[in-house]
Amino acid sequence: MAIKVLRRRKPILGAVPFVAYVGIFLGIPAGSVVLNAFRSQSGSFTLSNIHSALSGGYRQSFIQSLKLSVIATVIAAIAGLLVAVAVVGMKDGALKRAIMAASGVFANTGGVPLAFSFVATLGNFGLITKILLSGGVNIYSGGFTLYSVTGLVIVYQYFMIPLMVLVMIPPLEGLNSQWFEAAQTLGASWPTMWRSIVAPVIMPPFIAASLLLFTDAFAAYATAAALTSGTIPLVPIQIGSLIQGNVVANQGNLGAALGLGMIVIVGVVAIAYVFVSRRSNRWLR
Amino acid sequence: MATITTSLQGSLQGSSEKSVKAVHGRVLGVGRRYRTVVLVLTALFFLVPVVASLRYSVVGNNNSISFSSYGAIFSDPQFFSSLFTSFKIAIGTVAITVFLVTPTVVWARLRRPDLMSALESVALLPLIVPSVVVTLGILSAFASLPNIIMGSPVILALEYVVLALPYTFRSIDAGAGAIDIRTLVEASRSLGGGWIATLMRVIIPNLKSGILSAVFLSTAFVFGEFAVASLMSFSTFPVWLVQVGQDRASESVALSVVALLLTWGGLVAVSIAGLRSTRRRSAVIEDELFAFGEQL
């Protein structure tokens, strides 16, 4: 009897302020975007917002955003893994600690200052642009511009690669040397060991981290907005222009439909992330 | 064969670190040359933009060296007013964050440890809604709120608390995990301390490192957040920075250099402070730093 009473009275009061705060300042705005996506300007139910968000220029912006995030993620994932492998093989020492600390710091660099520091590097008058020019190579006449999807892919590497390094070092260090010894005793070759020991252990965290990088690149607004002043039609930029009213009026709740699209894409990737990262913990106990 | 002997020797010596590393290196196919090439290229990629920015801020588009762009920043009244706006927002955000998250974490760890992972998931929810979308929602859902909230940076302070939660919640929670809350609370209660006194005089001082890193992370978030502030037309520091960039490139680069160096310095300080107080839990700090990449 007593136990029953206790069970019924599990305290929840302490969590109420926190959950309510998030509910009000995140739940209500997100909920209103979702509802508005299905609402016409007069307030009645409609699918026309969704329809226009998925057609014409807006469909194109989803494709551009996905393209940017996928390319940036693939490059960062591979580069990050290569760096992590190099770091794991090192002796513990000042250099290794410095690399880890630097990864933590660079992974947190983003937004407007990052955009401007790349303007100084690869912009029209940037350092690298000038150095290459004095060597006879004009990258801007060769079709490159920093203020494009290619440019953004390069800039995003600045925080994406370190993120990948930070995530991949623990699983790589978790590779148990006894597994390799056992495999060697059994006569396994180097590719076999990669395939049957390294890959199964590092694949889940690798995929999980890549998903994380993807959402990062997909949702990013500041760097793109500062670098391109809204000229590249990425989804967040399009939503931004709709908010600022830089487009023809009477678009009603089109922005909300685009926003819903972003939530759906990020949400699906986040769910995939949760599943994959659960698997990845298995080998790292 | 050589591998086996060295690793056998290693395991005989209690599997010394060195042999583990050697085996790792060999199996992963990494030699010294690979490592040098990869690390040098990586270092170049990360250092060149810093050097280029420093150079650009003193040279600009023409080739004469001058520090005028740094001087121009400080003589611009907008510099101080935008900085002050961001500063006020940061105070609000930090205060709400500390007094919202700390009691929640302490309460959950004491009374409902089983709720911890659910609360952590709630704290990660802002990562699923891109900040541009949040802005859209704020503008439509809160349009009817009084002007003192929607018409002033107050709304930014309120929203930044939520948007920075993925980083702040973790660091306060990591701090709480490093101390024995139960014993501290019992000691304080048995000495007659009330709940408020326990929180203010026992728990918060002991959670200092976790709270301090949350304070820094949310401050850095506020000073770096661009999307919400610019779309709601508030002149915070990053918003002003972009305005400067539109016609005075070398000044904006000079400012970016200052902003980057300050943030980096702060991050390093936080991670050192964190390492010192929770040395056993250094993985937590890395975790927490790694989660901070999404402030864009």
Coordinates of all heavy atoms in Angstrom, one line a residue, chain A residues 18 21-22 25-26 108, chain B residues 89-98 100-102 105 119-131 134 138 155-173 210-226 228 267 287-296:
Chain A
F18 N 11.5 24.2 -16.1 CA 12.4 24.0 -17.3 C 11.6 23.6 -18.5 O 11.7 24.2 -19.6 CB 13.4 22.9 -16.9 CG 14.4 22.6 -18.0 CD1 15.4 23.4 -18.4 CD2 14.2 21.4 -18.6 CE1 16.3 23.1 -19.4 CE2 15.1 21.0 -19.6 CZ 16.1 21.9 -20.0
Y21 N 9.4 26.3 -19.8 CA 10.2 27.4 -20.5 C 10.5 27.0 -21.9 O 10.2 27.7 -22.9 CB 11.4 27.7 -19.7 CG 12.1 28.9 -20.2 CD1 11.9 30.1 -19.5 CD2 12.9 29.0 -21.3 CE1 12.5 31.3 -19.9 CE2 13.5 30.2 -21.7 CZ 13.3 31.3 -21.0 OH 13.9 32.5 -21.4
V22 N 11.0 25.7 -22.1 CA 11.3 25.3 -23.4 C 10.0 25.2 -24.3 O 10.0 25.5 -25.5 CB 12.0 23.9 -23.4 CG1 12.3 23.4 -24.8 CG2 13.3 24.0 -22.7
F25 N 9.0 28.9 -25.3 CA 9.9 29.7 -26.2 C 10.5 28.8 -27.4 O 11.1 29.4 -28.3 CB 11.1 30.3 -25.4 CG 10.5 31.4 -24.5 CD1 10.4 31.2 -23.1 CD2 10.1 32.6 -25.1 CE1 9.9 32.2 -22.3 CE2 9.6 33.6 -24.3 CZ 9.5 33.4 -22.9
L26 N 10.2 27.5 -27.4 CA 10.6 26.8 -28.5 C 9.4 26.1 -29.1 O 9.1 26.1 -30.3 CB 11.7 25.7 -28.2 CG 12.2 24.9 -29.4 CD1 13.1 25.8 -30.3 CD2 13.0 23.7 -29.0
N108 N 34.0 25.4 -32.7 CA 33.1 26.3 -32.2 C 33.2 27.7 -32.9 O 32.6 28.7 -32.5 CB 33.3 26.6 -30.7 CG 33.1 25.3 -30.0 OD1 32.2 24.6 -30.3 ND2 33.9 25.1 -29.0
Chain B
I89 N 21.8 41.8 -23.4 CA 21.1 40.6 -23.7 C 21.8 39.4 -23.0 O 21.2 38.5 -22.4 CB 21.1 40.3 -25.2 CG1 20.3 41.4 -25.9 CG2 20.5 39.0 -25.5 CD1 20.4 41.4 -27.4
A90 N 23.2 39.5 -23.0 CA 23.9 38.4 -22.4 C 23.7 38.3 -20.9 O 23.5 37.2 -20.4 CB 25.4 38.6 -22.7
I91 N 23.5 39.5 -20.2 CA 23.3 39.4 -18.8 C 21.9 38.7 -18.6 O 21.8 37.8 -17.7 CB 23.2 40.8 -18.2 CG1 24.7 41.4 -18.2 CG2 22.7 40.8 -16.8 CD1 24.8 42.8 -17.6
G92 N 20.9 39.1 -19.3 CA 19.6 38.5 -19.2 C 19.7 37.0 -19.4 O 19.2 36.1 -18.7
T93 N 20.3 36.6 -20.6 CA 20.4 35.2 -20.9 C 21.1 34.4 -19.9 O 20.6 33.3 -19.5 CB 21.1 35.1 -22.3 OG1 20.4 35.8 -23.3 CG2 21.1 33.6 -22.7
V94 N 22.2 34.9 -19.4 CA 23.0 34.2 -18.4 C 22.2 34.0 -17.1 O 22.2 32.9 -16.6 CB 24.3 34.9 -18.2 CG1 25.0 34.4 -16.9 CG2 25.3 34.7 -19.3
A95 N 21.6 35.1 -16.7 CA 20.9 35.0 -15.4 C 19.7 34.0 -15.5 O 19.6 33.1 -14.6 CB 20.3 36.4 -15.0
I96 N 18.9 34.1 -16.6 CA 17.8 33.1 -16.7 C 18.4 31.7 -16.8 O 17.9 30.8 -16.2 CB 16.9 33.4 -17.9 CG1 16.4 34.8 -17.8 CG2 15.8 32.4 -18.0 CD1 15.6 35.3 -19.0
T97 N 19.4 31.5 -17.6 CA 20.0 30.2 -17.8 C 20.4 29.5 -16.5 O 20.0 28.4 -16.1 CB 21.2 30.2 -18.8 OG1 20.8 30.8 -20.0 CG2 21.7 28.8 -19.0
V98 N 21.2 30.3 -15.7 CA 21.7 29.7 -14.5 C 20.6 29.4 -13.5 O 20.5 28.3 -12.9 CB 22.7 30.7 -13.8 CG1 23.1 30.3 -12.4 CG2 23.9 30.9 -14.7
L100 N 17.4 28.8 -14.2 CA 16.5 27.8 -14.7 C 17.1 26.4 -14.7 O 16.5 25.5 -14.3 CB 16.1 28.2 -16.2 CG 15.0 27.3 -16.8 CD1 13.7 27.5 -16.2 CD2 14.9 27.6 -18.3
V101 N 18.4 26.4 -15.2 CA 19.0 25.0 -15.4 C 19.5 24.4 -14.1 O 19.3 23.3 -13.8 CB 20.1 25.1 -16.5 CG1 20.7 23.8 -16.7 CG2 19.5 25.6 -17.8
T102 N 20.2 25.3 -13.3 CA 20.8 24.7 -12.1 C 19.8 24.0 -11.2 O 20.0 22.8 -10.8 CB 21.6 25.8 -11.3 OG1 22.4 26.6 -12.3 CG2 22.5 25.2 -10.3
V105 N 18.6 20.7 -12.8 CA 19.6 19.6 -12.8 C 19.8 19.0 -11.4 O 19.8 17.8 -11.2 CB 21.0 20.1 -13.3 CG1 22.1 19.1 -13.0 CG2 20.9 20.4 -14.8
L119 N 15.3 14.9 -19.7 CA 15.6 16.4 -19.6 C 16.7 16.8 -20.6 O 16.7 17.8 -21.2 CB 16.0 16.8 -18.2 CG 14.8 16.7 -17.2 CD1 15.3 16.9 -15.8 CD2 13.7 17.7 -17.6
E120 N 17.7 15.9 -20.7 CA 18.8 16.2 -21.6 C 18.3 16.2 -23.0 O 18.7 17.1 -23.8 CB 19.8 15.0 -21.5 CG 21.3 15.5 -21.4 CD 22.1 14.3 -21.0 OE1 22.1 13.8 -19.9 OE2 22.9 13.8 -21.9
S121 N 17.4 15.3 -23.4 CA 16.8 15.4 -24.7 C 16.0 16.7 -25.0 O 16.1 17.2 -26.0 CB 15.9 14.2 -25.0 OG 16.5 13.0 -24.5
V122 N 15.3 17.1 -24.0 CA 14.6 18.4 -24.1 C 15.6 19.5 -24.4 O 15.4 20.3 -25.2 CB 13.8 18.7 -22.8 CG1 13.2 20.1 -22.9 CG2 12.7 17.7 -22.6
A123 N 16.7 19.5 -23.7 CA 17.7 20.5 -23.9 C 18.3 20.5 -25.3 O 18.9 21.5 -25.7 CB 18.8 20.4 -22.8
L124 N 18.3 19.3 -25.9 CA 18.8 19.2 -27.3 C 17.8 19.6 -28.4 O 18.2 19.7 -29.5 CB 19.4 17.8 -27.5 CG 20.6 17.4 -26.7 CD1 21.0 16.0 -26.9 CD2 21.8 18.3 -27.1
L125 N 16.6 19.7 -28.0 CA 15.5 20.0 -29.0 C 15.8 21.2 -29.9 O 15.5 21.2 -31.1 CB 14.2 20.1 -28.3 CG 13.5 18.9 -27.9 CD1 12.1 19.2 -27.2 CD2 13.2 18.0 -29.1
P126 N 16.4 22.3 -29.3 CA 16.7 23.4 -30.2 C 17.5 23.1 -31.4 O 17.5 23.8 -32.4 CB 17.4 24.4 -29.3 CG 17.0 24.0 -27.9 CD 16.7 22.6 -27.9
L127 N 18.3 22.0 -31.4 CA 19.1 21.7 -32.5 C 18.2 21.2 -33.7 O 18.7 21.2 -34.8 CB 20.1 20.6 -32.2 CG 21.1 20.9 -31.1 CD1 22.1 19.7 -30.9 CD2 21.9 22.1 -31.6
I128 N 17.0 20.8 -33.4 CA 16.1 20.3 -34.5 C 15.4 21.4 -35.2 O 15.0 21.3 -36.4 CB 15.1 19.3 -33.9 CG1 15.9 18.1 -33.4 CG2 14.2 18.8 -35.0 CD1 15.1 17.0 -32.8
V129 N 15.2 22.5 -34.5 CA 14.5 23.6 -35.2 C 15.6 24.7 -35.6 O 16.1 25.4 -34.7 CB 13.4 24.2 -34.3 CG1 12.5 25.2 -35.1 CG2 12.6 23.1 -33.6
P130 N 15.9 24.8 -36.8 CA 16.9 25.9 -37.2 C 16.5 27.2 -36.8 O 15.3 27.5 -36.7 CB 16.9 25.8 -38.8 CG 16.4 24.4 -39.1 CD 15.4 24.1 -38.0
S131 N 17.5 28.1 -36.4 CA 17.1 29.3 -35.8 C 16.3 30.3 -36.7 O 15.5 31.1 -36.2 CB 18.4 30.0 -35.3 OG 19.4 30.0 -36.2
V134 N 12.8 29.2 -36.0 CA 12.4 29.7 -34.7 C 12.0 31.2 -34.9 O 11.0 31.6 -34.3 CB 13.5 29.6 -33.7 CG1 13.1 30.2 -32.4 CG2 13.9 28.1 -33.5
I138 N 8.6 32.9 -33.8 CA 8.4 34.0 -32.8 C 7.6 35.1 -33.4 O 6.7 35.6 -32.8 CB 9.8 34.5 -32.5 CG1 10.7 33.5 -31.8 CG2 9.7 35.7 -31.6 CD1 12.2 33.9 -31.7
I155 N 13.1 40.0 -25.9 CA 12.7 38.7 -26.6 C 13.9 37.9 -27.0 O 13.9 36.7 -26.9 CB 11.8 39.0 -27.8 CG1 11.3 37.7 -28.4 CG2 12.5 39.8 -28.9 CD1 10.3 36.9 -27.6
L156 N 15.0 38.6 -27.4 CA 16.2 37.9 -27.8 C 16.8 37.2 -26.5 O 17.2 36.0 -26.6 CB 17.3 38.8 -28.3 CG 17.0 39.4 -29.7 CD1 18.2 40.2 -30.2 CD2 16.7 38.3 -30.7
A157 N 16.9 37.9 -25.4 CA 17.4 37.3 -24.2 C 16.6 36.0 -23.8 O 17.2 35.0 -23.5 CB 17.4 38.3 -23.0
L158 N 15.3 36.1 -23.9 CA 14.4 35.0 -23.6 C 14.6 33.8 -24.5 O 14.7 32.7 -24.1 CB 12.9 35.4 -23.6 CG 12.5 36.4 -22.5 CD1 11.1 37.0 -22.9 CD2 12.5 35.8 -21.2
E159 N 14.8 34.1 -25.8 CA 14.9 33.0 -26.8 C 16.3 32.4 -26.7 O 16.5 31.2 -26.9 CB 14.7 33.6 -28.2 CG 13.2 33.7 -28.5 CD 12.4 32.4 -28.5 OE1 13.0 31.4 -28.7 OE2 11.2 32.5 -28.2
Y160 N 17.3 33.3 -26.5 CA 18.7 32.8 -26.5 C 18.9 31.7 -25.4 O 19.7 30.8 -25.5 CB 19.7 33.9 -26.3 CG 19.9 34.7 -27.6 CD1 20.6 36.0 -27.6 CD2 19.4 34.3 -28.8 CE1 20.7 36.7 -28.7 CE2 19.5 35.0 -30.0 CZ 20.2 36.3 -29.9 OH 20.4 37.0 -31.0
V161 N 18.1 31.9 -24.3 CA 18.2 30.9 -23.2 C 17.9 29.5 -23.8 O 18.7 28.5 -23.5 CB 17.2 31.2 -22.1 CG1 17.2 30.1 -21.1 CG2 17.5 32.5 -21.4
V162 N 16.9 29.4 -24.6 CA 16.5 28.1 -25.2 C 17.5 27.7 -26.2 O 18.0 26.6 -26.3 CB 15.1 28.2 -25.8 CG1 14.8 26.9 -26.6 CG2 14.1 28.4 -24.7
L163 N 17.9 28.6 -27.1 CA 18.7 28.3 -28.2 C 20.1 27.8 -27.8 O 20.8 27.0 -28.5 CB 18.8 29.4 -29.2 CG 17.5 29.8 -29.9 CD1 17.7 31.0 -30.9 CD2 16.9 28.6 -30.6
A164 N 20.6 28.3 -26.6 CA 21.9 27.9 -26.1 C 21.8 26.7 -25.2 O 22.9 26.2 -24.8 CB 22.6 29.1 -25.4
L165 N 20.6 26.2 -24.9 CA 20.5 25.1 -24.0 C 21.3 23.9 -24.4 O 21.9 23.2 -23.5 CB 19.0 24.7 -23.9 CG 18.2 25.3 -22.8 CD1 16.8 24.7 -22.8 CD2 18.8 25.1 -21.5
P166 N 21.4 23.5 -25.6 CA 22.2 22.3 -25.9 C 23.7 22.4 -25.4 O 24.3 21.4 -25.1 CB 22.3 22.3 -27.5 CG 21.0 23.0 -27.9 CD 20.8 24.0 -26.8
Y167 N 24.2 23.6 -25.2 CA 25.5 23.7 -24.7 C 25.5 24.0 -23.2 O 26.3 23.4 -22.4 CB 26.3 24.9 -25.4 CG 25.8 25.0 -26.9 CD1 25.1 26.1 -27.3 CD2 26.1 23.9 -27.7 CE1 24.6 26.2 -28.6 CE2 25.6 24.0 -29.0 CZ 24.9 25.1 -29.5 OH 24.4 25.2 -30.7
T168 N 24.6 24.9 -22.7 CA 24.7 25.2 -21.3 C 24.2 24.1 -20.4 O 24.8 23.9 -19.4 CB 23.8 26.5 -21.1 OG1 22.5 26.2 -21.6 CG2 24.4 27.7 -21.7
F169 N 23.2 23.4 -20.9 CA 22.6 22.3 -20.0 C 23.7 21.3 -19.7 O 23.9 20.9 -18.6 CB 21.4 21.6 -20.7 CG 20.7 20.6 -19.8 CD1 19.6 21.1 -19.0 CD2 21.1 19.3 -19.8 CE1 19.0 20.2 -18.2 CE2 20.4 18.4 -18.9 CZ 19.4 18.8 -18.2
R170 N 24.4 20.9 -20.8 CA 25.5 19.9 -20.6 C 26.6 20.3 -19.7 O 27.0 19.5 -18.9 CB 26.2 19.7 -22.0 CG 25.7 18.6 -22.8 CD 26.1 18.8 -24.2 NE 25.7 17.7 -25.1 CZ 26.5 16.7 -25.3 NH1 27.7 16.5 -24.8 NH2 26.1 15.7 -26.1
S171 N 27.0 21.6 -19.7 CA 28.1 22.0 -18.9 C 27.7 22.1 -17.4 O 28.4 21.7 -16.5 CB 28.8 23.3 -19.4 OG 27.8 24.3 -19.5
I172 N 26.4 22.5 -17.2 CA 26.0 22.6 -15.8 C 25.8 21.1 -15.3 O 26.2 20.8 -14.1 CB 24.7 23.4 -15.6 CG1 25.0 24.9 -15.9 CG2 24.1 23.2 -14.2 CD1 23.8 25.8 -15.8
D173 N 25.3 20.3 -16.1 CA 25.1 18.9 -15.7 C 26.4 18.2 -15.5 O 26.5 17.4 -14.5 CB 24.3 18.2 -16.8 CG 24.0 16.7 -16.4 OD1 23.6 16.5 -15.2 OD2 24.1 15.8 -17.2
G210 N 31.2 24.3 -13.5 CA 30.1 24.0 -14.5 C 29.3 25.2 -14.9 O 29.1 25.5 -16.1
I211 N 29.0 26.0 -13.9 CA 28.2 27.2 -14.1 C 29.0 28.3 -14.9 O 28.5 28.9 -15.8 CB 27.7 27.8 -12.8 CG1 26.6 26.9 -12.2 CG2 27.1 29.2 -13.0 CD1 26.1 27.3 -10.9
L212 N 30.3 28.4 -14.5 CA 31.1 29.4 -15.2 C 31.2 29.0 -16.7 O 31.2 29.9 -17.5 CB 32.5 29.4 -14.6 CG 32.7 30.4 -13.4 CD1 34.1 30.3 -12.9 CD2 32.3 31.8 -13.8
S213 N 31.4 27.7 -17.0 CA 31.5 27.4 -18.4 C 30.2 27.6 -19.1 O 30.1 28.1 -20.3 CB 32.1 26.0 -18.7 OG 31.2 25.0 -18.3
A214 N 29.1 27.4 -18.4 CA 27.8 27.7 -19.0 C 27.6 29.2 -19.2 O 27.1 29.7 -20.3 CB 26.6 27.2 -18.1
V215 N 28.1 30.0 -18.3 CA 28.1 31.5 -18.4 C 28.9 31.9 -19.6 O 28.4 32.7 -20.5 CB 28.7 32.1 -17.1 CG1 28.9 33.6 -17.4 CG2 27.7 32.0 -16.0
F216 N 30.1 31.3 -19.8 CA 30.9 31.7 -20.9 C 30.2 31.3 -22.2 O 30.1 32.0 -23.2 CB 32.3 31.1 -20.9 CG 33.0 31.3 -22.2 CD1 33.5 32.6 -22.5 CD2 33.1 30.3 -23.1 CE1 34.1 32.8 -23.7 CE2 33.7 30.5 -24.3 CZ 34.2 31.8 -24.6
L217 N 29.7 30.0 -22.3 CA 29.2 29.5 -23.5 C 27.9 30.3 -23.9 O 27.8 30.6 -25.1 CB 28.8 28.0 -23.4 CG 29.9 27.0 -23.2 CD1 29.5 25.6 -23.0 CD2 30.8 27.1 -24.5
S218 N 27.1 30.7 -22.9 CA 25.9 31.5 -23.4 C 26.3 32.9 -23.7 O 25.7 33.5 -24.6 CB 24.8 31.4 -22.3 OG 25.3 31.7 -21.1
T219 N 27.3 33.5 -23.1 CA 27.8 34.8 -23.5 C 28.3 34.8 -24.9 O 28.0 35.6 -25.7 CB 28.9 35.3 -22.5 OG1 28.4 35.2 -21.2 CG2 29.3 36.7 -22.8
A220 N 29.2 33.7 -25.2 CA 29.7 33.6 -26.5 C 28.6 33.4 -27.5 O 28.6 34.0 -28.6 CB 30.7 32.4 -26.6
F221 N 27.6 32.7 -27.1 CA 26.4 32.5 -28.0 C 25.7 33.8 -28.3 O 25.5 34.1 -29.5 CB 25.4 31.5 -27.4 CG 24.2 31.2 -28.3 CD1 24.3 30.1 -29.1 CD2 23.1 32.0 -28.3 CE1 23.2 29.8 -30.0 CE2 22.0 31.7 -29.1 CZ 22.1 30.6 -30.0
V222 N 25.5 34.6 -27.3 CA 24.8 35.9 -27.5 C 25.6 36.8 -28.4 O 25.1 37.4 -29.3 CB 24.5 36.5 -26.1 CG1 24.0 38.0 -26.3 CG2 23.5 35.7 -25.3
F223 N 26.9 36.9 -28.1 CA 27.8 37.8 -28.9 C 28.0 37.3 -30.3 O 28.5 38.0 -31.2 CB 29.1 38.0 -28.2 CG 29.0 39.1 -27.2 CD1 28.6 38.8 -25.9 CD2 29.2 40.4 -27.5 CE1 28.5 39.8 -24.9 CE2 29.1 41.4 -26.5 CZ 28.8 41.1 -25.2
G224 N 27.6 36.0 -30.6 CA 27.9 35.5 -32.0 C 26.6 35.3 -32.8 O 26.6 35.1 -34.0
E225 N 25.4 35.3 -32.1 CA 24.2 34.9 -32.8 C 23.8 36.0 -33.8 O 23.7 37.2 -33.4 CB 23.1 34.7 -31.8 CG 22.0 33.8 -32.2 CD 21.1 34.4 -33.3 OE1 20.9 35.6 -33.3 OE2 20.5 33.6 -34.1
F226 N 23.5 35.6 -35.0 CA 23.2 36.5 -36.0 C 21.8 36.4 -36.6 O 21.1 37.3 -36.7 CB 24.2 36.4 -37.2 CG 23.9 37.2 -38.4 CD1 24.1 38.6 -38.4 CD2 23.4 36.7 -39.5 CE1 23.8 39.4 -39.4 CE2 23.1 37.5 -40.6 CZ 23.3 38.8 -40.6
V228 N 18.7 35.2 -35.7 CA 17.5 35.7 -35.0 C 17.5 37.2 -34.9 O 16.6 38.0 -35.2 CB 17.3 35.1 -33.6 CG1 16.0 35.5 -33.0 CG2 17.3 33.6 -33.7
L267 N 37.3 30.1 -24.9 CA 37.1 28.7 -24.9 C 38.2 27.9 -24.3 O 38.0 26.9 -23.6 CB 36.9 28.2 -26.4 CG 35.5 28.5 -27.0 CD1 35.6 28.3 -28.5 CD2 34.5 27.6 -26.4
D287 N 33.3 16.7 -24.9 CA 31.9 16.5 -25.3 C 31.2 17.8 -25.4 O 30.5 18.1 -26.4 CB 31.2 15.7 -24.2 CG 30.7 14.4 -24.7 OD1 31.3 13.9 -25.6 OD2 29.6 14.0 -24.3
E288 N 31.3 18.6 -24.4 CA 30.6 19.8 -24.2 C 31.1 20.8 -25.2 O 30.3 21.5 -25.9 CB 30.7 20.2 -22.8 CG 30.6 21.6 -22.5 CD 31.3 21.9 -21.2 OE1 31.3 21.0 -20.3 OE2 31.9 22.9 -21.0
L289 N 32.4 20.8 -25.4 CA 32.9 21.8 -26.4 C 32.5 21.4 -27.8 O 32.1 22.2 -28.6 CB 34.4 21.7 -26.3 CG 35.0 22.6 -25.2 CD1 36.5 22.4 -25.2 CD2 34.7 24.0 -25.4
F290 N 32.4 20.0 -28.0 CA 32.1 19.6 -29.3 C 30.7 19.9 -29.7 O 30.3 20.1 -30.9 CB 32.4 18.1 -29.4 CG 31.3 17.2 -30.0 CD1 31.0 17.3 -31.3 CD2 30.6 16.4 -29.2 CE1 30.0 16.5 -31.8 CE2 29.6 15.6 -29.7 CZ 29.3 15.7 -31.0
A291 N 29.8 20.0 -28.7 CA 28.4 20.3 -29.0 C 28.2 21.7 -29.3 O 27.1 22.1 -29.6 CB 27.6 19.9 -27.8
F292 N 29.2 22.6 -29.2 CA 29.0 24.0 -29.3 C 29.1 24.5 -30.7 O 29.2 25.7 -30.9 CB 30.0 24.7 -28.3 CG 29.7 26.2 -28.2 CD1 28.5 26.6 -27.7 CD2 30.6 27.1 -28.6 CE1 28.2 27.9 -27.5 CE2 30.3 28.5 -28.5 CZ 29.1 28.8 -27.9
G293 N 29.2 23.6 -31.6 CA 29.5 24.0 -33.0 C 28.3 24.7 -33.8 O 28.5 25.2 -34.9
E294 N 27.2 24.7 -33.1 CA 26.0 25.0 -33.9 C 25.5 26.4 -33.7 O 24.3 26.7 -34.0 CB 24.9 24.0 -33.6 CG 25.1 22.7 -34.4 CD 25.5 21.6 -33.4 OE1 26.6 21.5 -33.0 OE2 24.6 20.8 -33.1
Q295 N 26.3 27.3 -33.3 CA 25.8 28.6 -33.0 C 25.6 29.5 -34.2 O 25.4 30.7 -34.1 CB 26.7 29.3 -32.0 CG 28.1 29.5 -32.5 CD 28.8 30.7 -31.9 OE1 28.4 31.9 -32.2 NE2 29.8 30.5 -31.1
L296 N 25.7 28.9 -35.4 CA 25.6 29.7 -36.6 C 24.3 30.2 -36.9 O 23.4 29.5 -37.0 CB 26.1 28.8 -37.7 CG 27.3 28.1 -37.3 CD1 27.5 26.9 -38.2 CD2 28.5 29.0 -37.4

